[in-house]
Amino acid sequence: MKISHAWLRTLVPVRLSPRKLADGLSMLGLEVERVSDEGARYEGFVVGEILTKEKHPNADRLTVCRVSVGDQELQIVCGAPNVAVGQKVAVGLVGSVVPRNQHDPHGGSFVLQETAIRGVTSRGMICSEYELDLGDDKDGILVLDSSANVGTPLAAYLGKTDVVYEVEITANRGDWLSHLGVAREVSAMTGARVSLPKVRVKEDAEPAHLHVRVKVQDTEQCGRYVARVIRNVTIAPSPPWLQQRLRSVGVRPINNVVDITNFVMLETGQPLHAFDYDKIAGGTITVRGAREGERFTTLDGVERTFRKDMLLICDAKHPLAIAGVMGGSDSEISAETTNVLLESAWFAPVGIRRTSKQLGLSTEASQRFERSVDIEMTDFASIRAAALMQELAGGKVLKGCVDVFPRRTKRRTVRLSVSRANALLGTSIAASAMAGFLRRLGMAVRKGPGDTLNVVPPSYRSDIAEEVDLIEEIARLYGYDRIEPDTNVRVGSVGTVGRGLGDEVRDFLIGAGFQEIMTNSLQNRAHAALAGGNPVAVLNPVSVEMQVLRTSLVPGALDVIQHNFNRGAKGLRLFEIGKVYWRDPSQSPESLDAFHEEERFMMIVSGDHFNQHYTAPSRKYDVFDLKGELEALLSKFFLDKYRLILYDNGSPLSVDTLAVEIKGTYAGLLGCLKKEVAAKFDIREDVFFAEVSLDFPEAREVWKRRYEPLPRFPSVTRDLAFIVDEGIPQGKVVDAIREAGGELVRSVTLFDLYSGEQVGSGKKGLAYTLEFQPVDRTLTDEEVNGKINAIIRHVEATCGARLRR
């Protein structure tokens, strides 16, 4: 939300500097993310006058202009077709930053430099409105009024001397989505008084109720509806002051009537909608629920289909607007509009939020209704807009309005205990001081029984419902920085929290030099689709970036990889431990059995592998680096109860995939990220990843800590070498050795891999060291030789191997 300093000062006296005001608002909880000085944006731009214009000697479409900027004359090469001698124009001097580059597809800014264009030196720039970020016209230069004084700073000429605050609005403070709401915070902070704009309107003798009827069928979803009629308006551009107000907060001017509705919404927080009165059948407005499958086209040109739980604004024949979200194209204000029906209403937040999310349609109006607007502001905002339409569009305002307010409710009273508030905050604030804080926030306060205060919040503070809400308000005004932390806290021990497998894996990976990342479990649909599966959709996502729950840890990590590589990182060793979620499409979505979650760990290496010693050159990570790290982890926690198998499971993320099995159960995979997936994130390095489940019984059963005494008897080692077909995985040979060797075989280590003439074409040699470890005796040569012979026979039978002698 953008707030204009100049606009704010029309509602409340502001004597603080912009920076101090921003700091004060942030301390109150209204976080100011950025303070922008509009004048600074146009530093280096002045009003100029074109003195001469000549054809460029080397280009048909360029001209060479001599331009006065007050204290000097500049030669500027210009390509605009509408440039002419005598024009007053906006000139950018060398060194200034042009806000928008029309040759950049993203419209980025650039620094203006003296340059030669087709052999002619250009010492500045005559700017278009697009380049100055004042509009979308790229074809011609911006021609200023002939009365403009040459040499005047452009910011002063344009009235761009405002300071704009970009504030972060919390979900429960809809009143902050307006200059009036922020003015109230300034008042609470400084004690200055807020003044609503004075409204002067001369109403016609003809009553409005003779020309419009309003029927509210769903009073739960529409708590109030105010309709006014303004006749004989002239649609035209808004005056400069109004256009400037809107542009200062990022709103594009359209025409006087539409601009007025936007202006009043930004000022008061009350969304308004202007209908072309002559397009409303029967002069009747009906607020009703949609019929299942009902359709109509909204202002953005999209034909939409509605569900029965959505609220529509209709005339006697068809829908006109989606209540609180967007109007329809059939009744929009156009250049031919002469009569206007002005809507100001209160719609229930839950219904608007549901409709907006289901349609994927978020607007300035819906964002305010979702947070709740002030039901008592509807009439004032309506008459304020009508008065401006009379002033700026020449309209005739019919007498009165149609105000359907079916259920007027009494403001609630919230009781506050002074002692409880102080106990919770760790303060000793007097009751009178608390009452003063609350009154500064517009609340009515009376003494209650004992040490209590009876507090009535204003209508615009729908977020105040309980005592704790009042305590939070007191803390805001008192100052969080004044509340001393109490470190004299008694901590009781209730036993040691058990560590899980995930904790042990985390410790191991940190010790192995991996850095932990934490990514959001909510993703957009495109990210979730990369991993395949059936993601669980969020019913009411807060944004398109959080539509579904992740089905894999990998896509989120790719954003992290891109972010780090873009900022100069050369090599990455990352891991994450977190949960993934998926839906079983064979189960009913109404059943909990359809939804699953699983804890996994993920390891990633990418980019440069830096060796620990300076004499060893750096190299790129490869799949064997990650395979070694993964095997080290698996062997620590699962001993020999795991194996890696070459396995193409059709993963949409990886190639050269190895499946991870733990105690015979598929647990995850290891592989190289597909190039086309990496390209989506603009990652140019190879990315190797492993993603393994920690959430199945076999893994946890194997991981349970067991303590064994050190061996009392010596181990025996033997070497064996086999020749097998090239296509036989060496892991199959290891499995055969362990099967035949039984519990006596403690370890099997591959120490040589050979291929060549000595073993024959299509063959390879594999050499292993076998360690035999008895637990109850010393092995004899006869026992070891017997096991060796059994192993040889079994490997020859299962792997088609022959012993290499």
Side-chain angles (χ1 to χ4, degrees):
M1 173 71 183
K2 292 184 177 181
I3 296 294
S4 157
H5 187 87
W7 196 341
L8 204 57
R9 292 180 62 185
T10 67
L11 299 169
V12 64
V14 181
R15 297 182 177 87
L16 299 173
S17 68
R19 175 49 59 190
K20 286 187 176 180
L21 180 63
D23 291 342
L25 291 173
S26 294
M27 288 302 295
L28 285 177
L30 181 56
E31 183 178 355
V32 179
E33 295 184 325
R34 184 180 305 165
V35 180
S36 303
D37 185 342
E38 286 191 325
R41 191 181 193 200
Y42 292 101
E43 187 175 348
F45 293 85
V46 297
V47 175
E49 181 178 4
I50 299 176
L51 303 177
T52 63
K53 166 190 168 185
E54 297 178 356
K55 186 176 180 299
H56 193 292
N58 302 317
D60 294 337
R61 296 185 179 181
L62 299 179
T63 56
V64 181
C65 301
R66 187 163 57 88
V67 183
S68 171
V69 292
D71 58 348
Q72 59 179 319
E73 293 181 3
L74 303 174
Q75 177 177 280
I76 298 177
V77 177
C78 181
N82 64 329
V83 64
V85 172
Q87 288 175 333
K88 301 290 180 66
V89 293
V91 178
L93 305 179
V94 171
S96 60
V97 179
V98 181
R100 297 171 80 183
N101 184 353
Q102 63 175 300
H103 303 296
D104 180 352
H106 303 292
S109 61
F110 67 97
V111 177
L112 191 58
Q113 299 176 337
E114 181 177 313
T115 184
I117 302 176
R118 296 287 186 93
V120 176
T121 301
S122 182
R123 296 184 171 87
M125 181 178 185
I126 305 173
C127 302
S128 68
E129 68 172 36
Y130 177 86
E131 289 157 335
L132 295 169
D133 200 16
L134 297 174
D136 296 324
D137 186 2
K138 301 180 182 180
D139 298 329
I141 59 171
L142 174 65
V143 179
L144 308 180
D145 190 84
S146 60
S147 62
N149 294 321
V150 175
T152 300
L154 185 64
Y157 171 79
L158 295 173
K160 294 280 189 179
T161 56
D162 200 0
V163 173
V164 176
Y165 308 93
E166 292 187 33
V167 297
E168 180 69 27
I169 307 298
T170 57
N172 65 327
R173 292 301 301 268
D175 59 307
W176 282 348
L177 283 167
S178 68
H179 283 76
L180 179 57
V182 176
R184 293 186 183 119
E185 293 294 305
V186 175
S187 172
M189 178 172 58
T190 65
R193 187 173 180 177
V194 174
S195 300
L196 285 173
K198 293 182 179 179
V199 176
R200 298 182 179 90
V201 61
K202 184 179 179 181
E203 291 186 327
D204 194 70
E206 194 172 1
H209 69 81
L210 297 179
H211 295 271
V212 62
R213 294 179 298 278
V214 177
K215 303 174 183 177
V216 178
Q217 294 182 1
D218 191 339
T219 58
E220 290 287 337
Q221 296 299 315
C222 178
R224 190 176 187 184
Y225 195 100
V226 175
R228 273 191 163 81
V229 178
I230 302 95
R231 306 184 73 175
N232 301 329
V233 299
T234 300
I235 304 298
S238 296
W241 72 264
L242 179 53
Q243 292 194 38
Q244 173 56 25
R245 278 281 191 263
L246 296 177
R247 283 198 178 106
S248 70
V249 293
V251 176
R252 180 175 62 89
I254 298 174
N255 60 54
N256 49 1
V257 169
V258 175
D259 291 350
I260 286 167
T261 61
N262 286 331
F263 173 81
V264 174
M265 177 187 69
L266 294 167
E267 181 178 69
T268 66
Q270 173 62 50
L272 303 171
H273 189 75
F275 297 97
D276 188 325
Y277 175 84
D278 297 317
K279 296 178 181 178
I280 299 175
T284 299
I285 292 291
T286 301
V287 185
R288 63 167 174 82
R291 302 181 183 96
E292 192 68 36
E294 195 168 7
R295 303 166 71 91
F296 86 96
T297 302
T298 45
L299 283 171
D300 55 0
V302 177
E303 186 180 42
R304 302 183 185 276
T305 304
F306 302 97
R307 293 167 37 169
K308 62 182 179 181
D309 58 356
M310 298 178 181
L311 196 66
L312 299 181
I313 310 298
C314 308
D315 63 12
K317 294 182 179 179
H318 47 66
L320 300 173
I322 310 169
V325 181
M326 183 177 281
S329 59
D330 291 341
S331 58
E332 69 177 313
I333 300 298
S334 66
E336 291 73 36
T337 298
T338 55
N339 301 311
V340 173
L341 186 144
L342 182 63
E343 169 194 281
S344 180
W346 183 94
F347 300 113
V350 173
I352 299 301
R353 187 180 303 116
R354 179 176 58 239
T355 298
S356 174
K357 300 307 179 186
Q358 288 175 351
L359 294 176
L361 183 61
S362 179
T363 62
E364 292 287 339
S366 70
Q367 290 170 22
R368 286 164 173 79
F369 283 122
E370 286 175 13
R371 290 170 167 84
S372 189
V373 300
D374 181 4
I375 199 168
E376 294 183 12
M377 182 56 69
T378 50
D379 186 48
F380 175 83
S382 175
I383 194 65
R384 167 79 163 142
L388 288 171
M389 289 182 191
Q390 186 175 72
E391 176 186 350
L392 305 180
K396 183 172 71 172
V397 181
L398 299 193
K399 185 177 182 180
C401 65
V402 177
D403 186 355
V404 179
F405 200 168
R407 296 190 301 164
R408 297 175 186 267
T409 56
K410 185 179 179 180
R411 292 187 192 174
R412 63 189 175 280
T413 298
V414 182
R415 180 163 291 176
L416 171 69
S417 167
V418 174
S419 59
R420 190 155 46 239
N422 278 318
L424 186 61
L425 296 176
T427 56
S428 55
I429 305 171
S432 58
M434 290 188 183
F437 291 145
L438 297 173
R439 290 191 179 104
R440 280 162 58 182
L441 291 166
M443 303 186 196
V445 184
R446 291 182 295 106
K447 182 75 172 67
D451 74 337
T452 64
L453 299 174
N454 290 328
V455 183
V456 180
S459 56
Y460 53 82
R461 291 302 304 273
S462 59
D463 60 304
I464 304 295
E466 301 177 2
E467 181 185 49
V468 69
D469 299 322
L470 296 175
I471 295 173
E472 181 182 1
E473 296 302 299
I474 291 167
R476 288 201 308 127
L477 269 292
Y478 180 74
Y480 292 117
D481 56 330
R482 295 175 60 192
I483 300 175
E484 294 292 335
D486 184 0
T487 58
N488 185 22
V489 179
R490 186 176 300 165
V491 179
S493 176
V494 293
T496 304
V497 178
R499 288 172 59 81
L501 177 55
D503 299 312
E504 299 288 342
V505 170
R506 176 179 290 106
D507 289 348
F508 179 87
L509 290 173
I510 291 172
F514 284 80
Q515 292 182 304
E516 185 172 14
I517 62 174
M518 299 179 70
T519 60
N520 202 327
S521 58
L522 291 169
Q523 298 179 334
N524 60 46
R525 292 188 182 277
H527 273 39
L530 293 174
N534 297 285
V536 178
V538 178
L539 186 60
N540 292 312
V542 297
S543 75
V544 294
E545 295 301 316
M546 299 182 178
Q547 292 176 309
V548 295
L549 290 165
R550 64 188 177 192
T551 58
S552 168
L553 300 176
V554 176
L558 298 180
D559 282 324
V560 178
I561 293 172
Q562 178 197 46
H563 180 87
N564 280 272
F565 279 147
N566 287 348
R567 283 155 181 80
K570 301 298 184 183
L572 298 174
R573 293 165 65 88
L574 308 174
F575 81 94
E576 181 172 11
I577 298 173
K579 293 196 174 184
V580 299
Y581 310 84
W582 70 94
R583 177 177 55 84
D584 183 352
S586 66
Q587 298 283 341
S588 167
E590 303 298 324
S591 170
L592 289 177
D593 293 337
F595 302 96
H596 305 272
E597 67 177 65
E598 179 179 83
E599 186 176 34
R600 296 179 183 175
F601 75 86
M602 174 198 63
M603 303 164 60
I604 282 181
V605 296
S606 183
D608 293 340
H609 180 284
F610 295 102
N611 290 301
Q612 294 183 356
H613 197 272
Y614 70 92
T615 59
S618 64
R619 58 178 177 80
K620 297 294 184 183
Y621 277 111
D622 59 33
V623 70
F624 297 106
D625 291 312
L626 184 62
K627 178 174 178 286
E629 298 285 3
L630 179 62
E631 287 190 309
L633 184 151
L634 294 175
S635 63
K636 173 178 174 61
F637 294 109
F638 306 116
L639 303 179
D640 59 351
K641 306 299 183 183
Y642 77 90
R643 63 176 182 163
L644 304 180
I645 307 169
L646 189 62
Y647 174 54
D648 182 9
N649 66 344
S651 169
L653 288 173
S654 64
V655 294
D656 300 330
T657 305
L658 295 176
V660 180
E661 276 192 7
I662 297 176
K663 203 177 178 183
T665 300
Y666 176 82
L669 58 86
L670 178 151
C672 177
L673 187 72
K674 289 182 176 178
K675 296 290 187 184
E676 57 267 30
V677 177
K680 294 179 186 294
F681 294 82
D682 195 27
I683 298 172
R684 297 177 177 85
E685 300 282 359
D686 286 334
V687 177
F688 303 97
F689 71 90
E691 187 173 18
V692 180
S693 173
L694 295 173
D695 226 10
F696 58 95
E698 289 82 0
R700 297 191 178 275
E701 178 186 338
V702 173
W703 172 75
K704 289 177 183 178
R705 288 188 180 274
R706 295 184 300 273
Y707 296 93
E708 297 178 354
L710 291 173
R712 294 170 53 200
F713 302 95
S715 63
V716 178
T717 59
R718 291 283 192 276
D719 292 343
L720 283 178
F722 295 99
I723 297 174
V724 297
D725 292 339
E726 278 187 333
I728 297 294
Q730 75 91 18
K732 184 176 181 180
V733 178
V734 172
D735 290 342
I737 292 173
R738 288 190 175 279
E739 288 172 6
E743 294 183 354
L744 279 180
V745 178
R746 181 176 184 177
S747 67
V748 180
T749 305
L750 176 71
F751 69 85
D752 187 38
L753 169 64
Y754 178 79
S755 60
E757 294 181 0
Q758 294 183 14
V759 296
S761 176
K763 301 289 184 177
K764 63 183 177 183
L766 302 172
Y768 297 93
T769 295
L770 282 60
E771 181 183 13
F772 297 91
Q773 177 64 66
V775 296
D776 56 356
R777 66 191 184 282
T778 298
L779 291 177
T780 64
D781 286 342
E782 290 77 10
E783 285 182 284
V784 175
N785 291 336
K787 279 293 182 183
I788 290 292
N789 291 331
I791 289 171
I792 292 171
R793 290 193 298 271
H794 188 65
V795 172
E796 289 175 341
T798 58
C799 301
R802 61 184 174 84
L803 190 65
R804 182 182 175 190
R805 302 183 185 279

